[in-house]
Amino acid sequence: MSGLNLVVIEGRLGKDPDMKYTQDGKAIANLSIATSETWKDKQTGERQEKTEWHRVVVFGPSADYVGDRFLKGNLITIKGKLQTRKWEDNDGNTRYSTEVVADRFDG
């Protein structure tokens, strides 16, 4: 059985893209994207809001594009896939980090 690993997020950048470069000069852009939902509380009638933060990474020429054109507060739509990385912290503990690896975006 095959599956589909597709993520689409539309939200606002919480900060400017964090640009890094590999030793051979390839760009990596780390993004923090906020999405929010609002609703009316059934018991109190008050408006409620919940914000989720999404870690997104972009590689190569696409990362350069994002770094040159997007700033904190900009609305951005990304498409990509979920990826979980396994790593060890300074104390030798195994840690996991899940992020979206984006390959398409609009803004």
Side-chain angles (χ1 to χ4, degrees), residues 15-74:
K15 59 182 181 177
D16 291 347
D18 179 21
M19 299 299 298
K20 297 185 178 174
Y21 295 88
T22 62
Q23 290 181 343
D24 59 352
K26 293 183 182 173
I28 302 169
N30 289 293
L31 311 176
S32 182
I33 300 176
T35 57
S36 298
E37 60 179 309
T38 58
W39 70 93
K40 189 175 184 180
D41 187 284
K42 291 180 182 179
Q43 294 180 357
T44 66
E46 292 182 23
R47 183 175 175 259
Q48 303 290 321
E49 182 175 14
K50 180 180 177 184
T51 300
E52 293 285 339
W53 289 93
H54 310 276
R55 292 173 36 140
V56 178
V57 63
V58 184
F59 296 100
S62 296
D64 282 322
Y65 178 85
V66 168
D68 289 342
R69 289 171 178 77
F70 292 95
L71 298 171
K72 177 182 178 179
N74 287 157

